């Protein structure tokens, strides 16, 4: 399992401990000067508190990084190992509707009680370390590992939050590390070139351990870093890959390995074969420690649900929810929209963060959107609808433009405008998709 041996940390006293998960999350917001949106890369703070907690890994760990596709790859791995009968812990971010989504066991979000107990242990250890100022993500990562330890998971899957080398997840050495893709995003922290970003993501690779890269054109920096640390580098197209048609596909790996007759992945989108291939390569690399039957692979690849990844809701007009928020991801969204068939009009509900490459992200949709419903995003780093409108106009993307005060109002407006033969695409940020999902749940 992933566990804590002994450990001197005790629960925060009832007099000072927050009384609910919401109160704990508010407390996490206050610990770091930058609040919930705070990003301060580095491992020193997390390592300090991890040591105070006495955390040690007791089960195989797969760490997944990448600009896009890491959430989908984690979901495939989680489903495959769960169907194989293992007790699987999975940590991912950000969440859509509730924080509990970030910490899952056997495919289900854990309870408020488990999270609160873990937060209490981390807070006690943090105070013992001169009240080091952990970020929201760092605190949550340490707490997730406390939950997995208490629940004695048998396989652990950790999704990197940002980059890799200096991300909090990287204090836990993986038995297999996967980089799904390398593209420009978070350039203020990771660098402005694919070479710089590739080096950061390759920071999760470890000596002698499988180091997978599913990007079809890996930067030289990633390859060099893998070789420098002595990792067992496996590249898409060289060491593993896939081929197939619209009905089924075949995975291939080292030594002439073939896994044929696989149904196309359950998640929609053309990029999903690559993500599924990366997951299967990881499974093959750990098969001696985590043996499983191909029936678990077949079920895991198709029987899973990951909201907000080219999620097409039933009914008319068609509604597509996609958390795409950078040029590569929106480019794939544009390709997927093109493959959906004929629709009279396409309406776009968009809200984005101001520090994203807004112009580059929206460029793949030039001439493909009939009506833009642009929303203010009232969150830290949120862009205004007016700023988005300026980009749509300056870039000559075409279509009518409306600015709305929130994604909920933008979606409500799109629903009034759309006919039954139209479609509505909601994208630009996890925040945007989450707000619209809540609106749909509430029947708005």
């Amino acid at each position: 399992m992933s566990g804590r041996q002994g450990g001197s940390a005790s629960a925060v006293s009832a007099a000072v401990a927050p009384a609910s998960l919401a109160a704990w999350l508010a407390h996490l917001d206050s610990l770091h000067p930058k609040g919930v949106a705070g990003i301060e890369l580095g491992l020193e703070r997390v390592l300090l508190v991890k040591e105070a907690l006495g955390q040690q890994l007791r089960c195989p760990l797969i760490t997944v990084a990448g600009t896009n596709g890491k959430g989908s790859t984690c979901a495939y791995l989680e489903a495959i190992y769960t169907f194989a009968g293992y007790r699987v812990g999975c940590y991912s971010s950000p969440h859509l509707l509730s924080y509990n989504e970030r910490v899952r066991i056997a495919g289900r979000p854990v309870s408020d009680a488990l999270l609160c107990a873990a937060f209490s242990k981390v807070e006690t250890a943090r105070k013992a370390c001169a009240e080091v100022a952990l970020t929201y993500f760092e605190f949550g990562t340490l707490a997730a590992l406390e939950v997995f330890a208490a629940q004695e998971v048998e396989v652990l899957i950790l999704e990197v939050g940002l980059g890799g080398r200096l991300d909090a997840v990287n204090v836990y050495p993986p038995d297999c590390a996967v980089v799904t893709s390398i593209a420009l995003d978070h350039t203020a922290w990771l660098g402005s070139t694919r070479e710089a970003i590739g080096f950061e993501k390759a920071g999760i690779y470890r000596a002698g351990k499988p180091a997978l890269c599913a990007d079809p054109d890996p930067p030289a920096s990633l390859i060099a870093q893998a070789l420098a640390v002595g990792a067992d580098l496996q590249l898409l197209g060289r060491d593993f890959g896939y081929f197939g048609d619209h009905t089924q596909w075949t995975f291939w790996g080292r030594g002439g390995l073939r896994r044929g007759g696989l149904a196309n992945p359950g998640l929609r989108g053309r990029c999903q074969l690559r993500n599924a291939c990366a997951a299967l390569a990881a499974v093959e690399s750990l098969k001696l420690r985590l043996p499983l039957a191909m029936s678990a692979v077949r079920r895991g690849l198709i029987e899973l649900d990951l909201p907000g990844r080219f999620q097409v809701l039933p009914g008319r007009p068609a509604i597509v929810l996609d958390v795409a928020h950078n040029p590569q991801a929106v480019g794939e969204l544009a390709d997927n929209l093109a493959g959906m068939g004929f629709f009279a009009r396409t309406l776009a509900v968009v809200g984005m963060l101001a520090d994203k490459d807004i112009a580059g992200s929206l460029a793949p949709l030039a001439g493909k959107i009939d009506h833009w419903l642009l929303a203010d995003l009232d969150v830290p780093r949120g862009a205004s609808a007016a700023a988005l409108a300026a980009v749509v106009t300056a870039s000559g993307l075409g279509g009518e433009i409306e600015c709305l005060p929130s994604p909920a109002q933008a979606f409500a407006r799109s629903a009034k405008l759309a006919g039954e033969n139209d479609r509505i695409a909601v994208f630009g940020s996890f925040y945007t998709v989450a707000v619209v999902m809540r609106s749909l749940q509430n029947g708005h």
Side-chain angles (χ1 to χ4, degrees):
M1 71 172 181
S2 161
R4 190 169 57 81
Q5 291 299 295
S8 58
S10 60
V12 178
S13 67
V16 297
S20 66
L21 179 57
W24 268 112
L25 296 177
H27 177 63
L28 267 59
D29 286 352
S30 69
L31 292 180
H32 194 274
K34 297 180 181 178
V36 67
I39 297 174
E40 184 182 354
L41 297 179
L43 304 182
E44 295 83 2
R45 297 175 304 280
V46 184
L47 282 168
L48 192 65
V49 181
K50 175 178 178 283
E51 181 69 19
L53 286 163
Q55 287 182 341
Q56 297 181 25
L57 295 181
R58 299 296 189 191
C59 72
L61 165 64
I62 304 171
T63 298
V64 183
T67 306
N68 298 301
K70 58 183 183 288
S72 299
T73 302
C74 287
Y76 289 124
L77 288 166
E78 182 180 19
I80 289 169
Y81 283 119
T82 297
F83 282 122
Y86 292 102
R87 186 167 175 80
V88 183
C90 187
Y91 176 60
S92 62
S93 64
H95 61 274
L96 283 169
L97 300 181
S98 72
Y99 185 91
N100 311 60
E101 297 168 21
R102 297 184 180 218
V103 186
R104 301 187 298 277
I105 295 177
R108 297 179 178 276
V110 301
S111 67
D112 287 9
L114 283 175
L115 285 170
C116 289
F119 285 151
S120 180
K121 292 177 181 178
V122 174
E123 176 68 350
T124 298
R126 185 189 73 84
K127 287 186 173 181
C129 298
E131 300 200 22
V132 59
L134 295 174
T135 67
Y136 185 95
F137 182 77
E138 290 168 345
F139 199 113
T141 301
L142 290 161
L145 268 291
E146 286 295 312
V147 172
F148 296 139
Q151 296 299 302
E152 300 184 342
V153 300
E154 298 170 310
V155 186
L156 193 52
I157 302 162
L158 302 182
E159 179 186 345
V160 167
L162 193 156
R165 182 175 66 95
L166 298 177
D167 186 83
V169 161
N170 204 31
V171 300
Y172 304 101
D175 297 284
C176 175
V178 182
V179 174
T180 57
S181 66
I182 301 99
L184 299 184
D185 198 7
H186 301 295
T187 53
W189 295 277
L190 304 180
S192 58
T193 66
R194 289 184 78 243
E195 290 295 329
I197 294 171
F199 170 77
E200 293 295 333
K201 296 191 184 301
I204 66 172
Y205 292 160
R206 294 297 195 275
K209 302 295 184 181
L212 282 53
C213 181
D215 191 298
D217 181 26
S221 60
L222 179 140
I223 296 173
Q225 179 62 16
L227 296 176
V229 301
D232 176 19
L233 181 63
Q234 300 179 37
L235 299 177
L236 178 71
R238 187 190 76 177
D239 302 284
F240 67 93
Y242 61 94
F243 59 86
D245 55 30
H246 65 281
T247 59
Q248 62 181 21
W249 64 289
T250 296
F251 170 87
W252 60 266
R254 288 174 170 174
L257 175 69
R258 292 288 188 275
R259 303 292 191 196
L262 300 171
N264 283 320
L267 299 178
R268 296 172 180 255
R270 298 177 183 178
C271 64
Q272 289 303 334
L273 259 182
R274 190 168 68 245
N275 297 333
C277 181
L280 192 45
V283 167
E284 291 292 340
S285 74
L286 293 175
K287 62 185 177 183
L288 294 181
R289 292 187 66 185
L290 296 169
L292 50 74
M294 276 303 295
S295 59
V297 172
R298 294 180 189 281
R299 290 189 66 186
L301 292 178
I302 61 174
E303 294 182 41
L304 78 167
D305 179 37
L306 188 62
R309 274 67 168 188
F310 199 67
Q311 180 182 4
V312 182
L313 304 182
R316 302 177 74 173
I319 299 171
V320 179
L321 305 178
D322 199 307
V323 295
H325 55 269
N326 56 49
Q328 183 187 58
V330 180
E332 292 177 350
L333 169 62
D335 290 343
N336 292 333
L337 290 172
M340 284 182 69
F342 174 78
F343 291 88
R345 294 189 306 158
T346 299
L347 295 81
V349 174
V350 186
M352 296 189 69
L353 298 180
D355 55 14
K356 297 298 180 182
D357 178 2
I358 295 174
S361 296
L362 298 183
L365 293 167
K368 300 175 182 179
I369 303 298
D370 299 286
H371 202 119
W372 298 87
L373 289 307
L374 307 174
D376 293 334
L377 212 52
D378 187 21
V379 297
R381 299 161 35 218
S384 68
L388 299 180
V391 171
V392 172
T393 300
S395 302
L397 302 184
E400 297 181 51
I401 299 173
E402 287 188 54
C403 294
L404 287 303
S406 72
Q409 289 170 278
F411 180 73
R413 175 65 174 156
S414 74
K416 289 182 180 179
L417 292 171
E420 65 175 18
N421 295 319
D422 297 335
R423 66 179 167 188
I424 302 168
V426 180
F427 67 95
S429 170
F430 275 83
Y431 297 108
T432 303
V433 172
V435 170
V436 171
M437 287 177 70
R438 289 191 184 95
S439 294
L440 289 165
Q441 284 185 350
N442 294 331
H444 297 152

